[in-house]
């Protein structure tokens, strides 16, 4: 199957089919790599299957495939990563603002500079005074329409560069101002100090890491995110919709694709396949 794109009819046919797709679907992002790294690996896997020799999705000169993701997951997080292909990339902005669900494991007594387990511990405080009831009571203040300061280590940008990148380069970075975010629901699932587990449903622009850091302070202690899983983004759930790495094939994408509505198709765009939902 592998070889030059201009080779056998099979690879050309596969590439044409891949390039004709328009819509949204979801893949699984594992813990460790960045969201961009996962998307690039996914893209290269599909291009290889389609017969593109030595595909490099980071090189923009020869773009075989139009693809993007709808909402960055921290490198330490895992879960649902929504992908747009073809005209589906135009729908990704709705993924950024739409509803998301997370399960977060926090650890009391330690604060880190990144607000998660990848960072350096910058503070340690007592946490034995905190009860389950205390935490449940404090969570009420973080539910609904609230103001939240994003973490310094984030995908937000200053002068075109991510704050996290600037910090790693040693630049001084000021915190972004507090901004309105929405928390639809917030429940304490487990409480086994120093660990606790939260179920969160929120709107766009919300940072779970900031929530956990703020919660630790509100409890007269400190805390950071130990584990984070995105369970749902828009209509895509971890349980029912994501393609895991062993499913990264053209056939699986075609089966999982939620096509763009007909009115979104353009005269110069390839026609999307009719796929049963």
């Amino acid at each position: 199957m592998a070889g030059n794109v201009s080779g056998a009819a099979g690879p050309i046919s596969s590439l044409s089919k891949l390039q004709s797709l328009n819509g949204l679907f979801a893949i699984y992002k594992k813990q460790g790599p960045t969201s961009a790294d996962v998307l690039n690996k996914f893209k290269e896997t599909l291009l290889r299957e389609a017969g593109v020799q030595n595909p490099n999705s980071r090189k923009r000169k020869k773009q075989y495939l139009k693809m993007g993701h709808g909402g960055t997951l921290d490198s330490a997080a895992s879960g649902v990563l929504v992908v747009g292909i073809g005209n589906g990339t135009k729908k990704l902005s709705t993924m950024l603002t739409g509803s998301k669900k997370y399960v977060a494991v926090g650890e009391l007594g330690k604060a880190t500079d990144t607000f998660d387990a990848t960072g350096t511990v910058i503070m340690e405080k007592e946490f034995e005074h905190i009860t389950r009831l205390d935490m449940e009571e404090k969570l009420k203040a973080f539910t609904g329409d609230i103001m939240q300061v994003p973490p310094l280590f984030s995908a937000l940008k200053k002068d075109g560069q991510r704050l996290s990148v600037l910090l790693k380069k040693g630049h001084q970075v000021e915190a972004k101002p507090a901004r309105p975010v929405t928390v639809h629901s917030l429940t304490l699932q487990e409480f086994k100090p120093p660990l606790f587990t939260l179920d969160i449903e929120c709107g766009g622009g919300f940072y779970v890491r900031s929530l956990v850091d703020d919660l630790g302070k509100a409890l007269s202690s400190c805390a950071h995110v130990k584990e984070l899983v995105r369970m749902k983004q828009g209509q895509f759930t971890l349980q029912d919709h994501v393609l895991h790495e062993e499913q990264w094939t053209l056939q699986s994408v075609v089966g999982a694709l939620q096509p763009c509505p007909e009115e979104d198709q353009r005269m110069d765009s390839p026609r999307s396949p009719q796929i049963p939902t």
Side-chain angles (χ1 to χ4, degrees):
M1 196 76 165
N4 197 295
V5 176
S6 58
I12 290 178
S13 175
S14 295
L15 183 60
S16 297
K17 188 173 183 180
L18 185 59
Q19 291 171 326
S20 76
L21 299 181
N22 295 283
L24 297 171
F25 56 98
I27 62 175
Y28 178 73
K29 182 207 169 295
K30 64 183 179 182
Q31 194 176 22
T34 66
S35 295
D37 287 340
V38 172
L39 183 66
N40 285 329
K41 184 177 180 182
F42 173 74
K43 199 172 178 180
E44 287 167 11
T45 301
L46 291 183
L47 288 171
R48 262 191 214 97
E49 182 191 349
V52 178
Q53 194 173 31
N54 300 320
N56 187 342
S57 54
R58 291 169 179 81
K59 288 187 178 178
R60 297 192 176 273
K61 268 189 179 180
K62 202 170 186 180
Q63 283 289 347
Y64 290 108
L65 200 54
K66 187 180 179 185
M67 195 179 281
H69 68 77
T72 300
L73 261 177
D74 295 335
S75 58
S78 62
V80 179
L81 188 67
V82 176
V83 176
I85 187 168
N87 286 341
T89 56
K90 297 172 186 175
K91 293 293 181 184
L92 289 173
S93 59
T94 63
M95 291 294 110
L96 297 173
T97 55
S99 171
K100 305 168 183 69
K101 285 186 178 180
Y102 296 90
V103 172
V105 177
E107 182 176 353
L108 291 164
K110 292 179 182 178
T112 71
D113 54 359
T114 59
F115 297 176
D116 67 12
T118 66
T120 302
V121 176
I122 55 173
M123 184 189 300
E124 294 193 44
K125 294 185 84 170
E126 296 293 325
F127 60 86
E128 289 79 4
H129 62 281
I130 301 169
T131 67
R132 184 185 185 104
L133 194 61
D134 291 335
M135 185 169 284
E136 287 177 335
E137 193 61 34
K138 291 297 181 186
L139 286 175
K140 294 175 184 176
F142 295 100
T143 307
D145 296 325
I146 63 171
M147 298 297 289
Q148 186 186 66
V149 177
L152 282 177
F153 283 86
S154 71
L156 297 177
K157 293 182 179 180
K158 179 190 176 186
D159 301 328
Q161 288 200 65
R162 292 190 174 193
L163 298 184
S164 55
V165 173
L166 290 171
L167 283 165
K168 286 170 184 174
K169 288 179 179 177
H171 293 278
Q172 290 290 321
V173 175
E174 288 185 12
K176 293 279 186 180
R179 58 187 187 176
V181 292
T182 301
V183 181
H184 302 295
S185 66
L186 179 56
T187 55
L188 181 60
Q189 192 183 84
E190 252 191 306
F191 185 71
K192 294 180 179 177
L195 302 182
F196 60 95
T197 304
L198 301 174
D199 274 341
I200 305 152
E201 182 172 4
C202 57
F206 180 83
Y207 278 89
V208 176
R209 286 181 290 135
S210 287
L211 164 71
V212 171
D213 182 72
D214 290 339
L215 180 61
K217 291 171 183 172
L219 290 163
S220 301
S221 183
C222 56
H224 69 277
V225 173
K226 194 172 178 67
E227 293 176 34
L228 181 62
V229 181
R230 183 150 69 197
M231 305 298 293
K232 174 182 175 289
Q233 186 173 11
Q235 73 267 41
F236 299 98
T237 66
L238 183 61
Q239 184 175 351
D240 298 326
H241 299 104
V242 301
L243 299 178
H244 291 263
E245 203 164 330
E246 63 273 14
Q247 299 170 297
W248 290 1
T249 65
L250 175 57
Q251 184 179 354
S252 293
V253 171
V254 169
L257 195 68
Q258 299 289 323
C260 296
E262 279 299 316
E263 60 267 23
D264 290 337
Q265 301 301 325
R266 299 292 179 262
M267 294 295 290
D268 59 347
S269 298
R271 191 177 173 189
S272 67
Q274 297 300 307
I275 298 159
T277 56

